Amino acid sequence: MTTMTSGGLAADTSRFRLSTSQRIVLLTATVAAVAVALFVIVVSSLPTAPTAVSPPWVLWAAAFALSEALVVHVQWQREAHTFSVGDLVLAAGLFLTTPSDLVVAQVVGTAATLVLYRRQRGRRVAFNLAQYALGSCLA
């Protein structure tokens, strides 16, 4: 709907409304941008824990992939809950590898599981990976 004002023609507000799909993409891009900013500003400058063992990030990515694929299902009466043991891998990684390697491994390993095992595609996998990246940067 357009209206006339004393200054001229007002803007048509219906042209600037985003569809649900566009809002999801905008949210995903925002979460991903915050995750990348945190990774570059905070995570990359964090010191490494002094340990004798430091497996390469590829092994950590495989551990994250397995932990996301092999979930624990708990059913209590009429409720069912599913838990991933990825937090255990994350906790071990905090002590045994560099923070930047850990974040990259979690995103790559989780991406492999989401795409190959859970068959997620498109916006769904992008949103889930942005969340995992943000969560691992905040851990």
Side-chain angles (χ1 to χ4, degrees):
M1 177 177 167
T2 57
T3 57
M4 291 292 285
T5 61
S6 60
L9 191 60
D12 186 8
T13 57
S14 65
R15 288 187 301 178
F16 299 111
R17 292 203 177 143
L18 297 175
S19 68
T20 304
S21 176
Q22 290 171 328
R23 283 184 267 170
I24 291 170
V25 169
L26 183 62
L27 176 64
T28 302
T30 303
V31 171
V34 170
V36 168
L38 280 174
F39 181 79
V40 169
I41 295 169
V42 177
V43 175
S44 62
S45 64
L46 289 174
T48 304
T51 58
V53 178
S54 184
W57 73 269
V58 175
L59 291 178
W60 288 107
F64 278 113
L66 282 173
S67 70
E68 289 298 323
L70 304 173
V71 295
V72 177
H73 299 287
V74 177
Q75 187 167 352
W76 177 255
Q77 296 175 352
R78 293 182 181 216
E79 296 180 13
H81 299 277
T82 302
F83 299 98
S84 166
V85 292
D87 290 338
L88 297 175
V89 177
L90 181 63
L94 288 172
F95 293 103
L96 298 174
T97 190
T98 64
S100 57
D101 283 353
L102 187 64
V103 171
V104 170
Q106 185 178 22
V107 173
V108 170
T110 303
T113 301
L114 293 178
V115 171
L116 300 174
Y117 183 72
R118 295 188 187 164
R119 308 270 189 233
Q120 290 185 5
R121 300 285 186 257
R123 289 187 307 261
R124 175 172 288 196
V125 72
F127 180 75
N128 287 335
L129 286 177
Q131 281 188 316
Y132 274 104
L134 182 61
S136 62
C137 286
L138 293 175

